[in-house]
Structure formats: C-alpha cells, structure tokens
Amino acid sequence: MSPRCSLVVNGKPVRVATGDTPLDAALPRTIAAGRDGLIQDSLLETRQQDALPRLRNTSRARPRLGDGAATRTGPAPSPLAVLRTVKRAGTLLSVTPLSGAVMEMVVTVSRSLDVAPGQAVEVGFAGLPARPYCPTQRIDGNTELNELVFHVRRDIGALGPALGEAVQPGHVVRIKGPAGGTPYRPGPGRLILVSAETGFAPIWAIARAARHVEIAREMVVVAGAADADDLYMRPALDWLRGTGVPQITLAASRDRRGQSDVRHGPVTAHLPTLRGSDTVHVAGPPDIVRAVERLCDSVGAVCAALPFLPSRSRARSLVTPGDTGAQFGL
C-alpha cells in the first residue's frame, strides 16, 4: 500500500498518495480514455470552463499533426495538459481493418489516462521512435475502460505498414500524454465538426463526448476522403444519427461506385453556411484545414484546427506529424 498523508485545501483535508502533487490530489479525477471518453466529474468540468480562455480562431496558432498526433497545443489548451503529463505502459490489443487504407489500432493501458477528446498522446513501440496520435473511440462506440483507440493509415509512415506484420497484438507500447491538440469544450452555438481522412479520429471522439455532455446542442458533421472507398466512418455516423444528429454529410472527390450517400468534392464544398456564433473543429490534411480556417475567419467563427501532416520520412514517421497520433497522423 502506498504511504499517504493529509493536506488541507480550502479548509478541507485531502488525502495524498506518494508521488502525487498537491494539485493532483485537490482536483477530481477525470477519465478521457474511459468508456465514453468523457469528463466524469461535473465539478472539474465547471472549473475547466472558468479556467480556460475563450477559443480564438487558430490560423496563427495551431498544432501541427502528422500520421497520428500533435506536437504543440492550440490557443485553448486543456488544464490537464498543463497540470500533468503522465506515462503509461500499454499492450497492443488488436488491429482491425476499417477500409483498404485505414486500420483501427486498440491499445490497453495499465491505468486510464487523462486525455480530453481532441487531445493527443505520444505513442512509442519498441524499436520505433515515439510520435503523437489522437485517441478516439472504437468505430462502433464500444470502447472499454483503459483502452486507447487510434486510426492509422496502412500506407503512411513506419507504423502503418508494420501493423499486423512486425508489430503484432501483444507488442509493448509506451504512452505519454497529454501531448497537444485542441480539446473539446461545451459551449453555446452550433458545433460544426469537419474531418478528412483519419482526421475523423479526434472528430469522432469530440462528437461522441458532445452527445453525452450537451445533448441539446445542435451538431453538424461533415466527413470526407479523397476516395470514397476510404470513408470508413459510417458505423460511427450511424451511432450519431441514432442519438438525434440528422445533419451529417459524407463527401469524396473520387467515387468509382457512385454511392448514393456520398457527395462529390472535398468536405469544404459541403459545409453549412457558417455563423459567427459557431464553434468549428476541423482535422485532416493541411489544405483542407486551412480552407476551413479561412471560412471561419470570414464570419468570425471560432475554429479549433488540427492539420495532419504527411511524414517527412517513412523511416522517421513516428517522430513527425501523421497517423492520428504524433505530429497528428493521416
């Protein structure tokens, strides 16, 4: 049993375990990697609202993402990212194809990790450099406690081609976080969620959290890919429709099979008319993100941007932005 001592905070005794900081002991616990990726304590949620500055348009201060995660925070960092960054040991549990290009990677960790929807963690496999990835939910929404889920492209970086080959279930994983990103916060106005390619990972985490935290808030979701065959997010979108989100659009520039539920063109061609009262989260390739930022700037809407950058080198892919993980990942 860990030694414990008492600390008085605002006149109330607080129990502190060895290794905890006084601030750790005073704050309620959160579980962002838990079953719903939600902040579990309403008191902490209220404190976050009071403590965080209002989000501004992020065109001058946005995190750079690569194949999987972010390297620096946007204009409204989560207090969890500021208060403590922790390490966890993990094990690769499963690798499941979601499409011809995208895989769902599930990691179990020794203890839950405090990461808000929209934030990233640093992921390191034995023999590979660490890089940031955005945790998300399983594509059907059934994520278990102590699971971290990531969307990884097969054809980008060193990790994608290795998954299921050199990197198999049972492989040891090192997790550290939070490691950047633009966290979701409840607020007024419409919540506009825009993603392209595996930028859907943080957007899915934000969408699911928002449907639990503020069910009455209007939500609009636009998800896309260059190729319609890579629109792997349909089960997640079905879950959102089942919770009362009717405004969902799928878009692709190439649709060889003429799928009836897919609109032609990039996601930017299918955004709703933006309002100054909107909050927009956008994740995906830099050109898509920049275009959405410009649209937000034109009407004064809040924009939280997560550009996912392609790896500069396949051999060093885990230390640059990319897969929904380390500079964030495609």
Side-chain angles (χ1 to χ4, degrees):
M1 180 179 296
S2 299
R4 303 181 71 88
C5 62
S6 293
L7 174 72
V8 177
V9 179
N10 293 333
K12 296 182 179 180
V14 177
R15 300 291 288 173
V16 185
T18 299
D20 284 349
T21 67
L23 190 53
D24 291 335
L27 286 177
R29 290 285 298 163
T30 65
I31 303 177
R35 189 171 305 277
D36 291 318
L38 303 179
I39 294 172
Q40 301 294 321
D41 193 294
S42 59
L43 175 60
L44 179 56
E45 184 177 315
T46 301
R47 289 178 179 174
Q48 285 182 323
Q49 294 301 308
D50 294 340
L52 290 178
R54 177 176 172 80
L55 278 171
R56 301 187 302 277
N57 184 279
T58 59
S59 59
R60 290 175 296 281
R62 60 177 183 244
R64 310 302 297 180
L65 310 184
D67 285 342
T71 56
R72 59 189 174 94
T73 57
S78 164
L80 297 177
V82 175
L83 295 179
R84 75 184 207 175
T85 297
V86 299
K87 298 179 181 179
R88 294 285 185 267
T91 303
L92 180 60
L93 178 65
S94 65
V95 178
T96 305
L98 298 179
S99 72
V102 179
M103 293 177 290
E104 180 181 80
M105 178 178 77
V106 180
V107 171
T108 58
V109 289
S110 54
R111 286 183 294 150
S112 59
L113 189 63
D114 295 331
V115 183
Q119 286 188 305
V121 298
E122 187 177 85
V123 179
F125 284 86
L128 294 173
R131 71 185 296 182
Y133 287 79
C134 291
T136 186
Q137 297 286 310
R138 286 180 182 262
I139 202 66
D140 61 3
N142 292 322
T143 305
E144 297 294 332
L145 189 66
N146 290 9
E147 285 185 351
L148 293 173
V149 181
F150 306 97
H151 296 168
V152 182
R153 285 192 64 97
R154 294 175 181 270
D155 54 351
I156 291 181
L159 179 59
L163 282 176
E165 301 294 335
V167 177
Q168 297 272 355
H171 204 104
V172 174
V173 188
R174 302 180 306 278
I175 304 290
K176 181 179 179 181
T182 54
Y184 153 75
R185 294 191 309 156
R190 291 187 303 178
L191 182 62
I192 312 293
L193 302 178
V194 184
S195 69
E197 311 295 346
T198 52
F200 186 71
I203 295 303
W204 173 217
I206 291 168
R208 186 169 170 82
R211 295 309 290 162
H212 287 279
V213 174
E214 43 184 356
I215 189 68
R217 188 178 189 184
E218 184 179 359
M219 179 187 294
V220 179
V221 180
V222 183
D227 195 311
D229 288 341
D230 291 333
L231 294 173
Y232 65 90
M233 61 286 295
R234 283 183 173 85
L237 300 181
D238 288 343
W239 186 93
L240 290 173
R241 290 189 187 95
T243 66
V245 180
Q247 301 180 73
I248 296 175
T249 300
L250 279 171
S253 299
R254 298 186 299 273
D255 183 8
R256 292 183 289 269
R257 291 181 291 181
Q259 301 169 74
S260 61
D261 62 341
V262 178
R263 296 187 184 181
H264 180 73
V267 294
T268 49
H270 301 288
L271 297 181
T273 300
L274 296 180
R275 310 166 186 164
S277 58
D278 291 335
T279 295
V280 180
H281 284 262
V282 54
D287 56 338
I288 297 291
V289 170
R290 284 193 296 267
V292 174
E293 285 182 308
R294 287 193 292 268
L295 291 171
C296 290
D297 276 337
S298 70
V299 299
V302 170
C303 184
L306 293 175
F308 280 29
L309 305 181
S311 303
R312 290 186 295 268
S313 164
R314 288 184 177 272
R316 300 179 59 202
S317 64
L318 285 179
V319 291
T320 58
D323 278 331
T324 329
Q327 246 181 306
F328 299 94
L330 293 171

